[in-house]
Amino acid sequence: MKLLPNIITLLRIAGSLGLLLCDVTGVAYWIIYGLCGISDIADGWLARKLKCVTKKGALLDSLADICFVACCTWKLLPIVELPQWLWLWAGVIVAIKIVNQISALVMYGHCSFPHTQANKATGFLLFIAAPMTVWSIIPITIVAAIATFAAIHEGHYIRTKKINNE
C-alpha cells in the first residue's frame, strides 16, 4: 500500500508518453490528459494520507511533472500560435529554473524540486490553461506570470532553506 503513490506517479509518466501517440483533437488524448492531471493531485494526497512521503517519491513526482509538461508541449505547440514575446518569457522562466538547479547542485550537491505552494498553483493552472491556449493566449499569459513568481520563489527557497532536510 505504501508504494501506491509512486505507482500512480509512474502511471502518470506512462500516460504522458501515451499522449505522444494520440491525436490532440481526439477524445483519447483528452481522457489521458485528464487522468494524468488527476493523478498529479492524487499521488501527493495519497502519500500524505498513507504517511509515506519520501524524497524519492517527491523527486519522482517532479520528474513525472516535467515529462507531462514536455509531452503536452510537444503535442500542443504545433497547433497553437504563440507570439514571440511569450516564447521569450517562457525561456526566461526555464532559465530561472535552470539557475535554481545549478544553485542547488553547488550548495547541496543535488538538484532540488521544492513543492512550494506557488509551484503547485502553477502546475494546477497550467493544467487548466493549456487546453484553452488553442482559443486564446490570455490564460497561458496569466500562468506565465504566476510561473515567473513561482520560479523566483523556488530559487529563494533553495538558497535560504536547508533542502537536505526536507
Side-chain angles (χ1 to χ4, degrees), residues 21 32 46-48 50 53 65 89 91 107 112 116 128 130 146:
L21 304 174
I32 295 170
L46 201 54
R48 288 184 295 278
L50 296 174
V53 175
D65 291 345
W89 193 353
M107 293 175 72
S112 175
T116 64
I128 293 170
I146 295 167

Side-chain angles (χ1 to χ4, degrees), residues 55-86:
K55 289 180 187 179
K56 287 181 183 175
L59 178 61
L60 184 62
D61 181 63
S62 294
L63 294 175
D65 291 345
I66 291 167
C67 182
F68 181 60
V69 169
C71 291
C72 290
T73 301
W74 183 264
K75 292 300 284 191
L76 290 172
L77 283 183
I79 64 169
V80 174
E81 289 187 34
L82 298 176
Q84 187 175 18
W85 61 265
L86 196 52

Side-chain angles (χ1 to χ4, degrees), residues 18-41:
L19 289 173
L20 297 174
L21 304 174
C22 297
D23 179 8
V24 178
T25 61
V27 175
Y29 180 90
W30 294 106
I31 289 172
I32 295 170
Y33 182 89
L35 290 172
C36 286
I38 291 167
S39 75
D40 189 22
I41 296 166

Side-chain angles (χ1 to χ4, degrees), residues 88-137:
L88 293 172
W89 193 353
V92 168
I93 295 168
V94 169
I96 293 168
K97 290 192 147 297
I98 289 170
V99 168
N100 291 344
Q101 294 311 311
I102 292 169
S103 295
L105 278 169
V106 169
M107 293 175 72
Y108 305 108
H110 59 82
C111 289
S112 175
F113 301 96
H115 290 83
T116 64
Q117 292 301 321
N119 276 336
K120 289 178 184 182
T122 300
F124 177 72
L125 292 173
L126 182 59
F127 174 72
I128 293 170
M132 291 188 251
T133 303
V134 174
W135 299 286
S136 170
I137 64 163

Side-chain angles (χ1 to χ4, degrees), residues 96-97 100 114-120 146-161:
I96 293 168
K97 290 192 147 297
N100 291 344
H115 290 83
T116 64
Q117 292 301 321
N119 276 336
K120 289 178 184 182
I146 295 167
T148 303
F149 170 79
I152 293 167
H153 180 255
E154 175 184 270
H156 175 74
Y157 181 88
I158 288 170
R159 288 183 276 291
T160 61
K161 302 287 183 194

